[in-house]
Amino acid sequence: MSIISDSLKRIKPSPTIAVTQKARELRAAGNDVIGLGAGEPDFDTPNNIKNAAIKAIKKGDTKYTAVDGTPALKKAVVRKFKRENNLNYSTDQITVGTGGKQVLYNTFMATLNKGDEVIIPAPFWVSYPDMVLLAGGKPKIVKCTEQEGFKLTAKKLKKAISKKTKWVILNSPSNPTGAGYTKKEIQNLAKVLVRNKKVYILSDDIYEHVKYDNFNFFTIAQISKLKERTLTMNGVSKSYAMTGWRIGYAAGPKDIIKAIGKIQSQSTSNPSSISQAAAVEALNGNQSFIKKRSNAFKERRDFVVKSLNSIKGISCLQPNGAFYVFPSCKGLLNKKTKLKTDTDFVKKLLEKKNVAVVQGSAFGLDGYFRISYATSMKNLKKAMDRIKSFCESLK
Ligand code: PMP
Ligand code: GLU
């Protein structure tokens, strides 16, 4: 009999974290690896936020806090939703967890019964299906093509809904494609969901502030009649360059929020008191650096998309958000190159040229790979040269 549980056997370790770790190890062993695997901003956390944390330590905010967030942080989250999304919530509709990841995990643990289905548009962030599986649910993957801009359409959504559907996940701007849904596209999906009356919506808005070209961000609870059935998740990781601080939050129906708190009370208890104090400052403090950082990301996006499209066999859509691109490598998967899959492509790229990226199949769509361009222009220039020379060497 195995010591490992059956539920754990249903899942695999996070492939994005695995690639990032592999790049770290290769670098530590003296290899000149360029890591384009990690999905985290390379910028440092702004000083006002760091200082708030230092102040909290000195003041003695070093004890357990309320399990699902301090009153100060919940108030800051309520204000954020009002200010940025025109959404009204009370503090008992807010939960705070150790990263958006924990909030999502708790949500599925708190709401899924065996066999309940969760609609996940692909390409998807790697953790959604495995979290659903761990909670006993069934991921219902809906493939969204490059021609569709990698976005879910109302028609596909309607077809995917069954009697067992409990949730549909929306993630805009998206990890791994960077695709952002327009107001109209969200409203088209909302029409299907309003008619259906039962399905809940999980809106993962973690990349809300990483957007370009005057893309207008909308979240479904804000522009539909679905607020009562929507859990809107967000966090400070990406917007405020705070991935290591581990603070995420969500707003939604009180029964779900309470259930999430119940799980947290029996597992991790509160997220770090110091990080919560820092997150209060992030949400309430000066927001002007967000725009400046988006401009830096935009310069990198433009460079990476242009470079990739100049390589024979590679093609890449220009996304309007997040810090990822999701180029196709299908043109290089054939007998001549001896590469059969996107996994072969990324393995060889790392082996031959020391560039770490993540295979598209990890995100539910074969024939692509994900590049995170949240690194310096210097690194990106070197990486693009290497990718180009790798692709040319294949012919
Ligand atoms: N959702 C998406 C789409 C993400 O890319 C991430 C980052 N891994 C998260 C949620 C969770 O982020 P965090 O736990 O750092 O808040
Ligand atoms: N969201 C990031 C990524 O996709 C961080 C790693 C993870 O949590 O998966 O790379």
Side-chain angles (χ1 to χ4, degrees):
M1 200 177 64
S2 165
I3 185 69
I4 306 302
S5 71
D6 291 342
S7 59
L8 201 74
K9 284 182 202 145
R10 291 198 288 267
I11 68 160
K12 59 190 177 315
S14 161
T16 48
I17 291 183
V19 168
T20 311
Q21 185 56 25
K22 174 117 201 242
R24 228 180 255 141
E25 284 164 15
L26 286 170
R27 221 174 288 124
N31 297 288
D32 170 28
V33 171
I34 305 175
L36 306 181
E40 67 175 342
D42 55 322
F43 301 117
D44 199 2
T45 306
N47 272 331
N48 62 314
I49 299 175
K50 288 184 179 174
N51 288 335
I54 294 166
K55 204 166 141 201
I57 295 174
K58 291 194 171 153
K59 206 169 97 201
D61 285 350
T62 52
K63 303 279 194 285
Y64 291 133
T65 73
V67 163
D68 64 351
T70 60
L73 183 48
K74 285 191 177 186
K75 266 190 223 144
V77 171
V78 166
R79 253 182 259 135
K80 177 262 179 258
F81 278 119
K82 181 69 200 159
R83 180 179 73 231
E84 296 180 344
N85 312 108
N86 198 25
L87 281 167
N88 290 307
Y89 290 107
S90 47
T91 46
D92 55 358
Q93 290 180 288
I94 306 292
T95 189
V96 180
T98 302
K101 209 171 208 173
Q102 190 192 18
V103 173
L104 293 169
Y105 176 79
N106 287 349
T107 302
F108 294 130
M109 291 306 273
T111 59
L112 293 181
N113 291 314
K114 193 164 180 284
D116 283 347
E117 290 176 2
V118 177
I119 296 176
I120 306 177
F124 47 72
W125 176 44
V126 292
S127 293
Y128 299 143
D130 288 44
M131 284 178 180
V132 169
L133 286 169
L134 206 48
K138 239 171 103 179
K140 181 131 181 193
I141 309 295
V142 181
K143 291 202 179 183
C144 307
T145 65
E146 189 174 348
Q147 290 70 32
E148 291 162 336
F150 301 119
K151 289 185 262 190
L152 181 65
T153 60
K155 203 170 154 194
K156 283 192 174 172
L157 171 62
K158 198 171 160 198
K159 198 161 160 242
I161 294 174
S162 79
K163 277 194 193 121
K164 295 202 163 162
T165 310
K166 204 142 201 187
W167 289 99
V168 55
I169 302 181
L170 299 178
N171 174 219
S172 167
S174 138
N175 178 1
T177 67
Y181 285 68
T182 63
K183 187 176 185 183
K184 184 95 190 90
E185 284 165 345
I186 296 174
Q187 282 171 333
N188 285 341
L189 298 176
K191 268 188 215 157
V192 176
L193 294 162
V194 165
R195 242 176 271 137
N196 166 275
K197 295 197 173 34
K198 263 177 46 199
V199 176
Y200 278 73
I201 301 99
L202 212 169
S203 186
D204 179 344
D205 298 354
I206 200 119
Y207 296 100
E208 170 176 11
H209 289 298
V210 190
K211 58 191 180 73
Y212 319 106
D213 311 327
N214 299 319
F215 170 72
N216 276 323
F217 172 86
F218 290 98
T219 190
I220 194 161
Q222 168 192 12
I223 51 167
S224 68
K225 295 201 164 63
L226 291 160
K227 186 169 166 239
E228 310 306 315
R229 270 193 279 148
T230 300
L231 190 75
T232 305
M233 188 232 101
N234 210 318
V236 296
S237 283
K238 320 283 170 169
S239 301
Y240 300 94
M242 292 177 70
T243 45
W245 299 75
R246 313 305 304 127
I247 296 292
Y249 56 84
K254 284 182 195 167
D255 51 349
I256 300 180
I257 295 296
K258 211 169 148 196
I260 291 173
K262 192 169 169 185
I263 293 191
Q264 213 152 282
S265 79
Q266 292 289 22
S267 52
T268 55
S269 289
N270 61 277
S272 149
S273 56
I274 316 298
S275 297
Q276 290 191 75
V280 170
E281 174 60 21
L283 295 176
N284 288 345
N286 188 337
Q287 308 286 308
S288 62
F289 69 93
I290 290 179
K291 180 91 193 124
K292 272 190 226 140
R293 290 183 173 184
S294 269
N295 289 343
F297 278 138
K298 180 184 175 328
E299 190 194 350
R300 298 168 183 186
R301 178 207 62 175
D302 291 347
F303 170 71
V304 167
V305 170
K306 198 165 160 228
S307 306
L308 289 167
N309 281 322
S310 76
I311 303 174
K312 216 168 153 219
I314 303 282
S315 64
C316 184
L317 287 187
Q318 172 141 303
N320 43 17
F323 32 68
Y324 308 108
V325 286
F326 199 65
S328 162
C329 57
K330 286 182 200 164
L332 294 170
L333 307 179
N334 54 50
K335 275 195 189 131
K336 229 165 103 192
T337 61
K338 295 199 186 77
L339 299 175
K340 281 202 189 113
T341 62
D342 49 9
T343 307
D344 296 342
F345 177 87
V346 308
K347 265 194 184 157
K348 270 268 169 325
L349 178 62
L350 183 59
E351 218 174 86
K352 300 264 180 212
K353 296 286 176 184
N354 275 332
V355 178
V357 299
V358 189
Q359 66 279 13
S361 45
F363 306 95
L365 206 65
D366 297 352
Y368 296 83
F369 60 104
R370 187 190 80 173
I371 286 180
S372 163
Y373 54 86
T375 184
S376 67
M377 274 301 269
K378 192 171 152 229
N379 265 345
L380 289 173
K381 280 185 181 148
K382 241 193 324 184
M384 290 304 128
D385 284 346
R386 289 188 193 180
I387 294 176
K388 188 169 190 150
S389 115
F390 171 69
C391 295
E392 282 169 359
S393 75
L394 293 171
K395 286 171 213 140

